[in-house]
Coordinates of all heavy atoms in Angstrom, one line a residue:
M17 N 12.4 -15.6 2.0 CA 12.2 -14.4 1.3 C 10.9 -13.8 1.7 O 9.9 -14.5 1.9 CB 12.2 -14.9 -0.2 CG 12.4 -13.7 -1.2 SD 12.4 -14.1 -2.9 CE 13.3 -15.6 -3.1
D18 N 10.9 -12.5 1.7 CA 9.7 -11.8 2.1 C 8.6 -11.9 1.0 O 8.9 -11.9 -0.2 CB 10.0 -10.3 2.3 CG 8.9 -9.4 2.7 OD1 8.2 -9.8 3.7 OD2 8.6 -8.4 2.0
P19 N 7.3 -12.1 1.4 CA 6.2 -12.2 0.4 C 6.2 -11.1 -0.6 O 5.8 -11.3 -1.8 CB 5.0 -12.3 1.3 CG 5.4 -12.7 2.6 CD 6.8 -12.2 2.8
R20 N 6.5 -9.9 -0.2 CA 6.5 -8.8 -1.2 C 7.7 -8.8 -2.2 O 7.6 -8.2 -3.2 CB 6.5 -7.4 -0.4 CG 5.3 -7.2 0.4 CD 4.2 -6.8 -0.3 NE 3.0 -6.6 0.5 CZ 1.8 -6.3 0.1 NH1 1.6 -6.2 -1.2 NH2 0.8 -6.2 0.9
Q21 N 8.7 -9.6 -1.8 CA 9.8 -9.8 -2.8 C 9.5 -10.9 -3.7 O 10.0 -11.0 -4.8 CB 11.1 -10.1 -2.0 CG 11.6 -9.0 -1.2 CD 12.9 -9.3 -0.4 OE1 13.0 -10.5 -0.1 NE2 13.7 -8.4 -0.1
V22 N 8.6 -11.9 -3.3 CA 8.2 -13.0 -4.2 C 7.2 -12.5 -5.3 O 7.4 -12.7 -6.5 CB 7.6 -14.1 -3.4 CG1 7.1 -15.2 -4.3 CG2 8.7 -14.7 -2.4
V23 N 6.1 -11.9 -4.8 CA 5.1 -11.4 -5.8 C 5.5 -9.9 -6.1 O 5.4 -9.1 -5.2 CB 3.7 -11.5 -5.2 CG1 2.7 -10.9 -6.1 CG2 3.4 -12.9 -4.9
I24 N 5.8 -9.7 -7.4 CA 6.3 -8.3 -7.7 C 5.1 -7.5 -8.2 O 4.9 -6.3 -7.7 CB 7.3 -8.4 -8.8 CG1 8.5 -9.2 -8.3 CG2 7.7 -7.1 -9.4 CD1 9.6 -9.5 -9.3
A25 N 4.2 -8.0 -9.1 CA 3.2 -7.2 -9.6 C 2.1 -8.0 -10.3 O 2.5 -9.2 -10.8 CB 3.7 -6.2 -10.6
P26 N 0.9 -7.6 -10.4 CA -0.1 -8.4 -11.2 C 0.1 -8.2 -12.7 O 0.7 -7.1 -13.1 CB -1.4 -7.7 -10.8 CG -1.1 -6.4 -10.3 CD 0.3 -6.5 -9.7
V27 N -0.2 -9.2 -13.5 CA -0.1 -9.1 -14.9 C -1.5 -8.7 -15.4 O -2.5 -9.4 -15.2 CB 0.3 -10.4 -15.5 CG1 0.3 -10.3 -17.0 CG2 1.7 -10.7 -15.0
I28 N -1.5 -7.6 -16.1 CA -2.8 -7.1 -16.7 C -2.7 -7.3 -18.2 O -2.0 -6.6 -18.9 CB -3.0 -5.6 -16.4 CG1 -2.8 -5.3 -14.9 CG2 -4.3 -5.1 -16.9 CD1 -3.8 -6.0 -14.0
S29 N -3.5 -8.3 -18.7 CA -3.6 -8.6 -20.1 C -4.9 -9.2 -20.4 O -5.6 -9.6 -19.5 CB -2.4 -9.5 -20.5 OG -2.6 -10.8 -19.9
E30 N -5.2 -9.4 -21.7 CA -6.5 -10.0 -22.1 C -6.5 -11.4 -21.6 O -7.6 -11.9 -21.1 CB -6.6 -10.0 -23.6 CG -6.9 -8.6 -24.2 CD -7.1 -8.6 -25.7 OE1 -7.6 -9.6 -26.2 OE2 -6.8 -7.6 -26.3
K31 N -5.4 -12.1 -21.7 CA -5.4 -13.5 -21.3 C -5.6 -13.6 -19.7 O -6.3 -14.5 -19.2 CB -4.1 -14.2 -21.7 CG -4.1 -15.7 -21.4 CD -2.8 -16.3 -22.0 CE -2.8 -17.8 -21.9 NZ -1.7 -18.4 -22.5
A32 N -5.0 -12.7 -19.0 CA -5.1 -12.7 -17.6 C -6.6 -12.4 -17.2 O -7.1 -13.0 -16.2 CB -4.2 -11.6 -17.0
Y33 N -7.3 -11.5 -17.9 CA -8.6 -11.2 -17.6 C -9.5 -12.4 -17.9 O -10.5 -12.6 -17.2 CB -9.1 -10.0 -18.4 CG -8.8 -8.6 -17.7 CD1 -7.9 -7.7 -18.3 CD2 -9.3 -8.3 -16.5 CE1 -7.6 -6.6 -17.7 CE2 -9.0 -7.1 -15.9 CZ -8.1 -6.3 -16.5 OH -7.8 -5.1 -15.9
A34 N -9.2 -13.1 -19.0 CA -10.0 -14.3 -19.3 C -9.9 -15.4 -18.2 O -10.8 -16.0 -17.9 CB -9.6 -14.9 -20.7
L35 N -8.7 -15.5 -17.7 CA -8.4 -16.5 -16.6 C -9.2 -16.1 -15.3 O -9.4 -17.0 -14.5 CB -6.9 -16.7 -16.4 CG -6.2 -17.4 -17.5 CD1 -4.7 -17.4 -17.1 CD2 -6.6 -18.8 -17.6
M36 N -9.4 -14.9 -15.1 CA -10.1 -14.4 -13.8 C -11.5 -15.0 -13.7 O -12.0 -15.3 -12.7 CB -10.1 -12.9 -13.8 CG -8.9 -12.3 -13.3 SD -9.1 -10.6 -12.8 CE -8.6 -9.8 -14.4
G37 N -12.1 -15.3 -14.9 CA -13.4 -15.9 -14.9 C -13.4 -17.3 -14.3 O -14.4 -17.9 -13.9
H38 N -12.2 -17.9 -14.4 CA -12.0 -19.3 -13.9 C -11.3 -19.3 -12.5 O -10.8 -20.3 -12.1 CB -11.2 -20.1 -14.9 CG -11.8 -20.2 -16.2 ND1 -12.9 -21.0 -16.5 CD2 -11.5 -19.6 -17.4 CE1 -13.3 -20.9 -17.7 NE2 -12.4 -20.0 -18.3
N39 N -11.3 -18.2 -11.8 CA -10.7 -18.0 -10.5 C -9.2 -18.2 -10.5 O -8.6 -18.8 -9.6 CB -11.4 -18.9 -9.5 CG -11.5 -18.3 -8.1 OD1 -11.4 -17.1 -8.0 ND2 -11.7 -19.1 -7.1
K40 N -8.6 -17.8 -11.6 CA -7.1 -17.9 -11.7 C -6.6 -16.5 -11.9 O -7.1 -15.7 -12.8 CB -6.7 -18.8 -12.9 CG -7.1 -20.2 -12.7 CD -6.8 -21.0 -13.9 CE -7.3 -22.5 -13.7 NZ -7.2 -23.3 -14.9
F41 N -5.5 -16.1 -11.2 CA -4.9 -14.8 -11.2 C -3.5 -14.9 -11.6 O -2.7 -15.8 -11.2 CB -5.1 -14.1 -9.9 CG -6.6 -14.0 -9.5 CD1 -7.3 -15.0 -8.9 CD2 -7.3 -12.8 -9.9 CE1 -8.6 -14.8 -8.6 CE2 -8.6 -12.7 -9.6 CZ -9.3 -13.7 -8.9
T42 N -3.0 -13.9 -12.4 CA -1.6 -14.0 -12.9 C -0.8 -12.9 -12.3 O -1.2 -11.7 -12.1 CB -1.7 -13.7 -14.5 OG1 -2.7 -14.6 -15.0 CG2 -0.3 -14.0 -15.1
F43 N 0.5 -13.2 -11.9 CA 1.4 -12.3 -11.3 C 2.8 -12.4 -11.9 O 3.2 -13.5 -12.4 CB 1.6 -12.7 -9.8 CG 0.3 -12.5 -9.0 CD1 -0.5 -13.6 -8.7 CD2 -0.1 -11.3 -8.5 CE1 -1.6 -13.5 -8.0 CE2 -1.2 -11.1 -7.7 CZ -2.0 -12.2 -7.5
R44 N 3.5 -11.3 -11.9 CA 4.9 -11.3 -12.1 C 5.6 -11.6 -10.8 O 5.4 -11.0 -9.8 CB 5.4 -10.0 -12.7 CG 6.8 -9.9 -13.1 CD 7.1 -8.6 -13.7 NE 8.5 -8.6 -14.2 CZ 9.0 -7.8 -15.1 NH1 8.2 -6.9 -15.6 NH2 10.2 -8.0 -15.5
V45 N 6.5 -12.6 -10.8 CA 7.1 -13.1 -9.6 C 8.7 -13.1 -9.7 O 9.2 -12.9 -10.8 CB 6.7 -14.5 -9.2 CG1 5.2 -14.5 -8.9 CG2 7.0 -15.5 -10.3
N46 N 9.3 -13.2 -8.6 CA 10.8 -13.2 -8.5 C 11.3 -14.4 -9.3 O 10.7 -15.5 -9.2 CB 11.2 -13.3 -7.1 CG 12.7 -13.1 -6.9 OD1 13.5 -13.7 -7.6 ND2 13.1 -12.3 -5.9
D47 N 12.4 -14.3 -10.1 CA 12.9 -15.3 -10.9 C 13.3 -16.6 -10.1 O 13.3 -17.7 -10.6 CB 14.1 -14.8 -11.7 CG 13.7 -13.8 -12.7 OD1 12.5 -13.7 -13.1 OD2 14.6 -13.0 -13.2
R48 N 13.7 -16.3 -8.8 CA 14.2 -17.5 -8.0 C 13.1 -18.1 -7.2 O 13.4 -19.1 -6.5 CB 15.3 -17.0 -7.1 CG 16.5 -16.5 -7.8 CD 17.6 -16.2 -6.9 NE 18.7 -15.5 -7.6 CZ 19.5 -14.6 -7.1 NH1 19.3 -14.2 -5.8 NH2 20.4 -14.0 -7.8
A49 N 11.9 -17.6 -7.2 CA 10.8 -18.1 -6.4 C 10.3 -19.4 -7.0 O 10.1 -19.5 -8.2 CB 9.7 -17.1 -6.3
H50 N 10.0 -20.4 -6.1 CA 9.4 -21.6 -6.5 C 7.9 -21.7 -6.2 O 7.4 -20.7 -5.5 CB 10.2 -22.9 -6.0 CG 10.4 -22.9 -4.5 ND1 9.4 -23.1 -3.6 CD2 11.5 -22.6 -3.8 CE1 9.9 -23.1 -2.4 NE2 11.2 -22.7 -2.5
K51 N 7.2 -22.7 -6.7 CA 5.8 -22.7 -6.5 C 5.3 -22.6 -5.1 O 4.3 -22.0 -4.8 CB 5.2 -24.0 -7.2 CG 5.4 -24.0 -8.7 CD 4.8 -25.2 -9.3 CE 5.0 -25.2 -10.8 NZ 4.3 -26.4 -11.4
T52 N 5.9 -23.3 -4.2 CA 5.5 -23.3 -2.8 C 5.7 -21.9 -2.2 O 4.8 -21.4 -1.5 CB 6.4 -24.3 -2.0 OG1 6.4 -25.5 -2.6 CG2 5.9 -24.4 -0.5
Q53 N 6.8 -21.2 -2.5 CA 7.0 -19.8 -2.0 C 5.9 -18.9 -2.6 O 5.4 -18.0 -1.9 CB 8.3 -19.3 -2.4 CG 9.5 -19.9 -1.6 CD 10.8 -19.4 -2.1 OE1 11.0 -19.1 -3.3 NE2 11.8 -19.2 -1.2
I54 N 5.6 -19.0 -3.9 CA 4.6 -18.2 -4.5 C 3.2 -18.4 -3.9 O 2.5 -17.5 -3.6 CB 4.5 -18.5 -6.0 CG1 5.8 -18.1 -6.7 CG2 3.3 -17.8 -6.7 CD1 6.0 -18.7 -8.1
A55 N 2.8 -19.7 -3.6 CA 1.5 -20.0 -3.0 C 1.5 -19.4 -1.6 O 0.4 -18.8 -1.2 CB 1.3 -21.5 -2.9
Q56 N 2.5 -19.5 -0.8 CA 2.5 -18.9 0.5 C 2.5 -17.4 0.5 O 1.8 -16.8 1.3 CB 3.8 -19.4 1.3 CG 3.8 -20.9 1.6 CD 5.1 -21.3 2.2 OE1 6.1 -20.6 2.2 NE2 5.1 -22.6 2.7
A57 N 3.2 -16.8 -0.5 CA 3.2 -15.3 -0.5 C 1.8 -14.8 -0.9 O 1.3 -13.8 -0.3 CB 4.2 -14.9 -1.6
V58 N 1.2 -15.4 -1.9 CA -0.2 -14.9 -2.3 C -1.2 -15.1 -1.2 O -2.0 -14.3 -0.9 CB -0.6 -15.7 -3.6 CG1 -2.1 -15.4 -3.9 CG2 0.2 -15.3 -4.8
S59 N -1.1 -16.3 -0.5 CA -1.9 -16.5 0.7 C -1.7 -15.5 1.8 O -2.7 -15.0 2.3 CB -1.7 -17.9 1.2 OG -2.1 -18.9 0.3
E60 N -0.5 -15.1 2.0 CA -0.2 -14.2 3.1 C -0.6 -12.7 2.7 O -1.2 -12.0 3.6 CB 1.3 -14.2 3.5 CG 1.6 -13.5 4.7 CD 3.1 -13.7 5.1 OE1 3.6 -14.9 4.9 OE2 3.7 -12.8 5.6
I61 N -0.3 -12.4 1.5 CA -0.6 -11.0 1.1 C -2.1 -10.7 1.0 O -2.6 -9.7 1.4 CB 0.2 -10.6 -0.3 CG1 1.7 -10.7 0.0 CG2 -0.3 -9.3 -0.8 CD1 2.5 -10.6 -1.3
F62 N -2.8 -11.6 0.3 CA -4.2 -11.4 -0.1 C -5.2 -12.1 0.9 O -6.4 -11.9 0.8 CB -4.5 -11.7 -1.5 CG -3.6 -10.9 -2.5 CD1 -2.6 -11.5 -3.1 CD2 -3.9 -9.6 -2.7 CE1 -1.8 -10.8 -4.0 CE2 -3.2 -8.9 -3.6 CZ -2.1 -9.5 -4.3
G63 N -4.7 -13.0 1.7 CA -5.6 -13.7 2.7 C -6.5 -14.6 2.0 O -7.7 -14.7 2.3
V64 N -6.1 -15.4 1.0 CA -6.9 -16.3 0.3 C -6.2 -17.7 0.3 O -5.0 -17.9 0.7 CB -7.0 -15.9 -1.2 CG1 -7.8 -14.6 -1.3 CG2 -5.7 -15.8 -1.9
K65 N -6.9 -18.8 -0.1 CA -6.4 -20.1 -0.1 C -6.0 -20.5 -1.5 O -6.9 -20.4 -2.4 CB -7.4 -21.1 0.4 CG -6.8 -22.5 0.5 CD -7.8 -23.5 1.0 CE -7.2 -24.9 1.0 NZ -8.2 -25.9 1.3
V66 N -4.8 -20.8 -1.8 CA -4.3 -21.2 -3.1 C -4.4 -22.7 -3.3 O -4.0 -23.5 -2.5 CB -2.8 -20.7 -3.2 CG1 -2.2 -21.2 -4.6 CG2 -2.6 -19.2 -3.1
V67 N -5.0 -23.1 -4.5 CA -5.2 -24.5 -4.8 C -4.1 -25.0 -5.6 O -3.6 -26.1 -5.5 CB -6.6 -24.6 -5.5 CG1 -6.8 -26.1 -5.9 CG2 -7.7 -24.2 -4.6
A68 N -3.7 -24.2 -6.7 CA -2.6 -24.6 -7.6 C -1.8 -23.4 -8.1 O -2.3 -22.3 -8.1 CB -3.2 -25.4 -8.8
V69 N -0.6 -23.7 -8.5 CA 0.3 -22.7 -9.1 C 0.9 -23.2 -10.4 O 1.5 -24.3 -10.3 CB 1.4 -22.3 -8.1 CG1 2.3 -21.2 -8.7 CG2 0.8 -21.7 -6.8
W70 N 0.9 -22.4 -11.4 CA 1.6 -22.7 -12.7 C 2.6 -21.6 -12.9 O 2.3 -20.5 -12.7 CB 0.6 -22.8 -13.9 CG -0.3 -23.9 -13.8 CD1 -0.2 -25.2 -14.3 CD2 -1.6 -23.9 -13.2 NE1 -1.3 -25.9 -14.0 CE2 -2.2 -25.1 -13.4 CE3 -2.4 -22.9 -12.6 CZ2 -3.5 -25.4 -12.9 CZ3 -3.7 -23.2 -12.1 CH2 -4.2 -24.4 -12.3
T71 N 3.8 -22.0 -13.3 CA 4.8 -21.0 -13.6 C 5.4 -21.1 -15.0 O 5.3 -22.2 -15.6 CB 6.0 -21.1 -12.6 OG1 6.6 -22.4 -12.7 CG2 5.6 -20.9 -11.2
A72 N 5.9 -20.0 -15.5 CA 6.4 -20.0 -16.8 C 7.5 -18.9 -16.9 O 7.4 -17.8 -16.3 CB 5.4 -19.6 -17.9
N73 N 8.6 -19.2 -17.6 CA 9.7 -18.2 -17.7 C 9.4 -17.5 -19.1 O 9.3 -18.2 -20.1 CB 11.0 -18.8 -17.8 CG 11.5 -19.3 -16.4 OD1 11.3 -18.6 -15.4 ND2 12.0 -20.5 -16.3
V74 N 9.2 -16.2 -19.0 CA 8.9 -15.4 -20.2 C 10.2 -15.0 -20.8 O 11.0 -14.3 -20.1 CB 8.0 -14.2 -19.9 CG1 7.7 -13.4 -21.1 CG2 6.7 -14.7 -19.2
R75 N 10.5 -15.4 -22.0 CA 11.7 -15.0 -22.7 C 11.8 -13.6 -23.1 O 10.8 -12.9 -23.3 CB 11.9 -15.9 -24.0 CG 12.0 -17.4 -23.7 CD 12.2 -18.1 -25.0 NE 12.3 -19.5 -24.7 CZ 12.3 -20.4 -25.7 NH1 12.2 -20.1 -26.9 NH2 12.3 -21.7 -25.4
S76 N 13.0 -13.1 -23.2 CA 13.2 -11.7 -23.7 C 12.9 -11.6 -25.2 O 13.1 -12.6 -25.9 CB 14.6 -11.2 -23.4 OG 15.6 -12.0 -24.1
K77 N 12.5 -10.5 -25.6 CA 12.2 -10.2 -27.1 C 13.2 -9.3 -27.6 O 13.6 -8.3 -27.0 CB 10.8 -9.6 -27.2 CG 9.7 -10.5 -26.8 CD 8.3 -9.8 -27.0 CE 7.2 -10.6 -26.5 NZ 5.9 -9.9 -26.6
P78 N 13.6 -9.5 -28.9 CA 14.5 -8.5 -29.5 C 13.8 -7.2 -29.8 O 12.7 -7.2 -30.3 CB 15.0 -9.3 -30.8 CG 14.0 -10.3 -31.0 CD 13.3 -10.6 -29.7
K79 N 14.5 -6.1 -29.6 CA 13.9 -4.8 -29.9 C 14.9 -3.9 -30.5 O 16.1 -4.1 -30.3 CB 13.4 -4.1 -28.6 CG 12.3 -4.8 -27.8 CD 11.0 -4.6 -28.6 CE 9.9 -5.3 -27.8 NZ 8.6 -5.2 -28.6
R80 N 14.4 -3.0 -31.4 CA 15.3 -2.1 -32.1 C 14.8 -0.7 -32.0 O 13.6 -0.5 -32.0 CB 15.4 -2.4 -33.6 CG 16.4 -3.5 -33.9 CD 16.5 -3.7 -35.4 NE 16.9 -2.4 -36.0 CZ 17.5 -2.3 -37.2 NH1 17.7 -3.3 -37.9 NH2 17.8 -1.1 -37.7
R81 N 15.7 0.2 -31.8 CA 15.3 1.7 -31.9 C 16.3 2.3 -32.8 O 17.4 2.7 -32.3 CB 15.3 2.3 -30.5 CG 14.8 3.7 -30.5 CD 14.3 4.0 -29.1 NE 13.7 5.3 -29.1 CZ 12.4 5.6 -29.2 NH1 11.5 4.6 -29.3 NH2 11.9 6.8 -29.1
G82 N 16.0 2.4 -34.0 CA 17.0 3.0 -35.0 C 18.1 2.0 -35.2 O 17.9 0.8 -35.5
A83 N 19.3 2.4 -35.0 CA 20.5 1.5 -35.2 C 20.8 0.7 -33.9 O 21.7 -0.2 -34.0 CB 21.7 2.4 -35.6
H84 N 20.2 1.0 -32.8 CA 20.5 0.4 -31.6 C 19.7 -0.9 -31.4 O 18.4 -0.9 -31.6 CB 20.2 1.3 -30.4 CG 21.0 2.6 -30.5 ND1 22.4 2.6 -30.2 CD2 20.7 3.8 -30.8 CE1 22.9 3.8 -30.3 NE2 21.8 4.6 -30.7
I85 N 20.3 -2.0 -31.2 CA 19.7 -3.3 -31.0 C 19.8 -3.7 -29.6 O 20.9 -3.6 -29.0 CB 20.3 -4.3 -32.0 CG1 20.2 -3.9 -33.4 CG2 19.7 -5.7 -31.7 CD1 21.0 -4.8 -34.4
G86 N 18.7 -4.2 -29.0 CA 18.7 -4.7 -27.7 C 17.7 -5.7 -27.4 O 17.1 -6.3 -28.4
K87 N 17.4 -6.1 -26.2 CA 16.4 -7.0 -25.8 C 15.6 -6.5 -24.6 O 16.1 -5.8 -23.8 CB 17.1 -8.4 -25.4 CG 17.6 -9.1 -26.5 CD 18.2 -10.5 -26.0 CE 18.7 -11.3 -27.1 NZ 19.1 -12.6 -26.6
T88 N 14.4 -7.0 -24.5 CA 13.6 -6.7 -23.3 C 14.1 -7.7 -22.2 O 14.8 -8.7 -22.5 CB 12.1 -6.9 -23.5 OG1 11.9 -8.3 -23.9 CG2 11.6 -6.0 -24.6
R89 N 13.7 -7.4 -21.0 CA 14.2 -8.2 -19.8 C 13.3 -9.5 -19.8 O 12.1 -9.5 -19.9 CB 14.0 -7.4 -18.6 CG 14.5 -8.1 -17.3 CD 14.5 -7.2 -16.2 NE 15.5 -6.1 -16.3 CZ 15.6 -5.1 -15.5 NH1 14.8 -5.0 -14.4 NH2 16.6 -4.2 -15.7
A90 N 14.0 -10.6 -19.5 CA 13.2 -11.9 -19.3 C 12.7 -11.8 -17.8 O 13.2 -11.2 -16.9 CB 14.2 -13.1 -19.4
W91 N 11.5 -12.5 -17.6 CA 10.9 -12.5 -16.3 C 10.1 -13.8 -16.1 O 10.0 -14.6 -17.0 CB 10.0 -11.3 -16.1 CG 9.0 -11.0 -17.2 CD1 9.2 -10.6 -18.5 CD2 7.6 -11.3 -17.1 NE1 8.1 -10.5 -19.2 CE2 7.0 -10.9 -18.4 CE3 6.8 -11.7 -16.1 CZ2 5.7 -11.0 -18.7 CZ3 5.4 -11.8 -16.4 CH2 4.9 -11.5 -17.6
K92 N 9.6 -14.0 -14.9 CA 8.9 -15.2 -14.5 C 7.4 -14.8 -14.2 O 7.2 -13.8 -13.5 CB 9.5 -15.8 -13.3 CG 9.0 -17.2 -13.0 CD 9.8 -17.9 -11.9 CE 9.5 -19.3 -11.7 NZ 10.4 -20.0 -10.8
K93 N 6.5 -15.6 -14.7 CA 5.1 -15.4 -14.6 C 4.5 -16.6 -13.8 O 4.9 -17.7 -14.0 CB 4.4 -15.3 -15.9 CG 3.0 -15.2 -15.9 CD 2.4 -14.9 -17.3 CE 2.6 -16.0 -18.3 NZ 1.9 -15.8 -19.6
A94 N 3.6 -16.3 -12.9 CA 2.9 -17.4 -12.2 C 1.4 -17.1 -12.3 O 0.9 -16.0 -12.1 CB 3.3 -17.3 -10.7
V95 N 0.7 -18.2 -12.6 CA -0.8 -18.2 -12.6 C -1.2 -19.0 -11.4 O -0.8 -20.2 -11.1 CB -1.4 -18.9 -13.9 CG1 -2.9 -18.9 -13.8 CG2 -0.9 -18.2 -15.1
V96 N -2.0 -18.4 -10.5 CA -2.4 -18.9 -9.2 C -3.9 -19.2 -9.2 O -4.7 -18.3 -9.5 CB -2.1 -17.9 -8.1 CG1 -2.5 -18.4 -6.8 CG2 -0.6 -17.6 -8.1
E97 N -4.3 -20.4 -9.0 CA -5.7 -20.7 -8.8 C -6.1 -20.7 -7.4 O -5.5 -21.3 -6.5 CB -6.0 -22.1 -9.4 CG -7.5 -22.5 -9.4 CD -7.8 -23.9 -10.0 OE1 -6.8 -24.6 -10.4 OE2 -9.0 -24.2 -10.0
L98 N -7.3 -20.0 -7.1 CA -7.7 -19.9 -5.8 C -8.9 -20.8 -5.5 O -9.5 -21.3 -6.4 CB -8.2 -18.4 -5.5 CG -7.2 -17.3 -5.8 CD1 -7.9 -16.0 -5.5 CD2 -6.0 -17.5 -5.0
A99 N -9.1 -21.1 -4.2 CA -10.2 -21.9 -3.8 C -11.6 -21.3 -4.2 O -11.6 -20.1 -4.3 CB -10.2 -22.2 -2.3
A100 N -12.6 -22.1 -4.3 CA -13.9 -21.6 -4.7 C -14.4 -20.6 -3.6 O -14.2 -20.8 -2.4 CB -14.9 -22.7 -4.8
G101 N -14.9 -19.5 -4.1 CA -15.4 -18.4 -3.1 C -14.4 -17.4 -2.8 O -14.7 -16.3 -2.4
D102 N -13.1 -17.6 -3.0 CA -12.0 -16.6 -2.8 C -11.8 -15.8 -4.0 O -12.0 -16.3 -5.1 CB -10.7 -17.3 -2.4 CG -10.7 -17.8 -1.0 OD1 -11.5 -17.5 -0.2 OD2 -9.7 -18.6 -0.7
T103 N -11.4 -14.5 -3.8 CA -11.1 -13.7 -4.9 C -10.1 -12.6 -4.4 O -9.9 -12.4 -3.2 CB -12.4 -13.0 -5.5 OG1 -12.0 -12.2 -6.6 CG2 -13.0 -12.1 -4.5
I104 N -9.5 -12.0 -5.4 CA -8.5 -10.9 -5.1 C -9.1 -9.6 -5.5 O -9.4 -9.4 -6.7 CB -7.2 -11.2 -5.7 CG1 -6.6 -12.5 -5.2 CG2 -6.2 -10.0 -5.5 CD1 -5.3 -12.9 -5.8
E105 N -9.4 -8.7 -4.6 CA -10.1 -7.5 -4.9 C -9.3 -6.5 -5.8 O -9.9 -5.7 -6.5 CB -10.5 -6.7 -3.6 CG -11.5 -7.5 -2.8 CD -11.8 -6.8 -1.5 OE1 -11.4 -5.7 -1.3 OE2 -12.4 -7.5 -0.6
L106 N -8.0 -6.6 -5.8 CA -7.2 -5.8 -6.6 C -7.6 -5.9 -8.1 O -7.7 -5.0 -8.8 CB -5.7 -6.2 -6.5 CG -4.7 -5.6 -7.4 CD1 -4.4 -4.1 -7.0 CD2 -3.4 -6.4 -7.4
F107 N -7.8 -7.2 -8.5 CA -8.2 -7.4 -9.9 C -9.6 -7.1 -10.2 O -10.0 -6.6 -11.2 CB -8.0 -8.9 -10.2 CG -6.5 -9.3 -10.3 CD1 -5.9 -9.9 -9.3 CD2 -5.8 -9.0 -11.5 CE1 -4.6 -10.2 -9.3 CE2 -4.5 -9.4 -11.6 CZ -3.9 -10.0 -10.5
E108 N -10.5 -7.3 -9.2 CA -11.9 -7.0 -9.4 C -12.1 -5.5 -9.7 O -12.9 -5.1 -10.5 CB -12.7 -7.4 -8.1 CG -12.7 -8.9 -7.9 CD -13.3 -9.7 -9.0 OE1 -14.3 -9.2 -9.6 OE2 -12.8 -10.8 -9.2
G109 N -11.4 -4.6 -9.0 CA -11.5 -3.2 -9.2 C -11.0 -2.8 -10.6 O -11.6 -1.9 -11.3
A110 N -9.9 -3.5 -11.0 CA -9.4 -3.1 -12.4 C -10.3 -3.6 -13.5 O -10.4 -3.0 -14.5 CB -8.0 -3.8 -12.5
A111 N -11.0 -4.7 -13.3 CA -11.9 -5.3 -14.3 C -13.1 -4.4 -14.5 O -13.6 -4.3 -15.6 CB -12.2 -6.7 -13.9
S112 N -13.6 -3.8 -13.4 CA -14.9 -3.1 -13.5 C -14.6 -1.7 -14.0 O -15.5 -1.0 -14.5 CB -15.5 -2.9 -12.1 OG -14.7 -2.2 -11.2
E113 N -13.4 -1.1 -14.0 CA -13.1 0.2 -14.5 C -13.1 0.2 -16.0 O -13.4 1.2 -16.6 CB -11.7 0.7 -14.0 CG -11.7 1.0 -12.5 CD -10.3 1.3 -12.1 OE1 -9.4 1.4 -12.9 OE2 -10.1 1.4 -10.8
G114 N -12.6 -0.9 -16.7 CA -12.5 -0.9 -18.1 C -13.7 -1.2 -18.8 O -14.4 -0.7 -19.5

């Protein structure tokens, strides 16, 4: 699988920003990707060394809009810990803007 198909997008949330202080970065990833593929994709895309990967399946939430009932889409989240001294500039720029 292509690295750009494995890592879909960064997750921007309060918890994700708190983890950045510990050199951990959060991504939305392909549902079929496993930890080894995620580590290789992040290393290849951003040029960093990955130390550990944690994954979680985010469940869908029920939503209503008037009489219409539905659900949000379920997705997979990965938290990637980088080696000391490595960082991802994509997140650094977003953190300094806010």
Side-chain angles (χ1 to χ4, degrees):
M17 201 179 316
D18 182 52
R20 297 282 178 183
Q21 291 175 336
V22 174
V23 176
I24 297 170
V27 174
I28 307 298
S29 66
E30 288 183 30
K31 189 172 184 179
Y33 277 116
L35 288 173
M36 279 192 266
H38 301 287
N39 214 21
K40 296 177 183 173
F41 298 89
T42 309
F43 296 97
R44 184 175 184 158
V45 296
N46 190 315
D47 293 340
R48 295 186 190 149
H50 51 77
K51 292 181 180 184
T52 308
Q53 287 177 326
I54 295 166
Q56 290 172 351
V58 171
S59 294
E60 190 173 325
I61 293 169
F62 299 106
V64 294
K65 183 178 180 191
V66 175
V67 176
V69 177
W70 295 271
T71 59
N73 288 315
V74 180
R75 295 181 183 171
S76 62
K77 295 180 183 178
K79 296 288 180 182
R80 279 186 56 158
R81 187 158 184 98
H84 300 286
I85 299 171
K87 288 184 175 183
T88 60
R89 187 175 287 177
W91 53 285
K92 190 171 189 175
K93 173 172 67 173
V95 178
V96 178
E97 183 178 2
L98 304 182
D102 283 347
T103 186
I104 296 176
E105 295 175 12
L106 171 75
F107 288 98
E108 296 299 324
S112 63
E113 291 174 8

